[in-house]
Amino acid sequence: MGEMGLRERKKQRMYQDVSDIAVRLFLERGFDAVSVAEVAAEAGISKPTLFRYFPAKEDLVLHRIADHETEAARVVAGAADPVGALRRHFLAGLAGRDPVTGLNDHPEVLAFHRLLYGTPSLAARAYAHQERSEAALAEALGGDLDARLAAGQIIAVQRVLALENWRRIAAGEPVERVAPDAVRAAERAFGRLAEALSELRSTR
C-alpha cells in the first residue's frame, strides 16, 4: 500500500508539474503559439509520455480545475437539502475568495481565466468539463430525468454567477465592491432554485 501510495503521489506531482509548465508557457506566449513538443521539452519528458498524461493539449490547462468536476456531487452526497448545501458551499467559496466563484483578483488567477475564456478551444473544453460536472451531480441526485433537469439548472446558476464576478473584476472593479453584489446575487439565485426544486433530495 505504501509503495502504491508513493507511486500515485509521484503521478499526481507529474500532472501538476507539467500542467504548471504548460500554463506558464501559454500565458507568456499564447496557447496557439506553444506546441505540445515545446511543453514536453520544457518538462524534460517525451511527447508520447506527455500524451499519456494529457490526451489533448487543452487538458494541460483544464487540469487546474479538474478537481472541481465532481465537487457539486460531493457537496450534495447524503444532504437532505441539496440546494441548501450547494448554497452554503458557494457562499463559503465567495467568503474564501475561491477562484472557482470568480471572486478573486490575484493576478495569476485573472491571467488564467483570461487564457481559459479567451481561447476558443479551451472554452469549448471547459464546457465539456461543465457537462461532466452536471452529469455527476445528476447521478448524485438520483439519475432520473428530474435529477438531470435539476443538475442542469444548478450548474448553470453556478456558472453564470462565477462568470459575472470574473467579468466585473477583469474589467477593473475591486473585489471589495463586487463581493456584496456577488453574495446578494448568489442568495437570490439559490433562493429561486430552492423554490423551483423544493422536492429535490439527494440519494446518497
Side-chain angles (χ1 to χ4, degrees):
M1 290 294 290
E3 182 181 348
M4 289 299 293
L6 178 60
R7 186 178 303 146
E8 183 61 27
R9 286 195 296 273
K10 287 183 176 179
K11 182 179 178 181
Q12 292 305 316
R13 173 50 60 187
M14 172 66 80
Y15 273 112
Q16 190 63 54
D17 289 347
V18 176
S19 176
D20 287 346
I21 289 168
V23 170
R24 173 174 58 79
L25 292 174
F26 296 152
L27 289 175
E28 289 173 356
R29 294 161 49 194
F31 182 79
D32 295 326
V34 179
S35 69
V36 171
E38 289 176 287
V39 174
E42 185 77 11
I45 59 176
S46 69
K47 187 175 176 181
T49 297
L50 185 146
F51 275 124
R52 282 203 298 272
Y53 285 92
F54 301 95
K57 182 180 178 182
E58 290 79 10
D59 293 333
L60 289 160
V61 177
L62 272 294
H63 174 73
R64 286 202 173 180
I65 61 173
D67 60 330
H68 291 293
E69 195 167 288
T70 59
E71 184 172 341
R74 294 194 303 269
V75 169
V76 305
D81 177 12
V83 175
L86 288 165
R87 168 188 165 276
R88 291 188 294 274
H89 183 73
F90 194 87
L91 290 173
L94 291 174
R97 302 298 187 256
D98 188 334
V100 77
T101 67
L103 193 65
N104 188 299
D105 62 354
H106 191 285
E108 290 184 6
V109 172
L110 292 176
F112 177 79
H113 282 158
R114 281 194 296 270
L115 173 68
L116 181 62
Y117 297 124
T119 307
S121 63
L122 289 174
R125 198 76 168 186
Y127 180 74
H129 161 86
Q130 290 167 356
E131 286 186 320
R132 291 190 295 272
S133 179
E134 181 182 314
L137 176 58
E139 182 65 23
L141 295 174
D144 60 7
L145 178 59
D146 286 342
R148 295 197 300 274
L149 289 170
Q153 294 175 68
I154 291 166
I155 296 300
V157 162
Q158 293 184 152
R159 176 180 59 82
V160 171
L161 289 172
L163 278 174
E164 176 66 13
N165 296 336
W166 172 73
R167 285 172 178 152
R168 289 182 61 181
I169 291 171
E173 290 190 62
V175 168
E176 292 73 19
R177 181 186 301 169
V178 177
D181 290 342
V183 170
R184 283 192 291 270
E187 292 278 20
R188 185 168 63 252
F190 278 98
R192 290 172 179 170
L193 280 175
E195 292 177 5
L197 307 173
S198 59
E199 297 182 0
L200 187 65
R201 291 292 182 270
S202 173
T203 61
R204 297 181 181 178

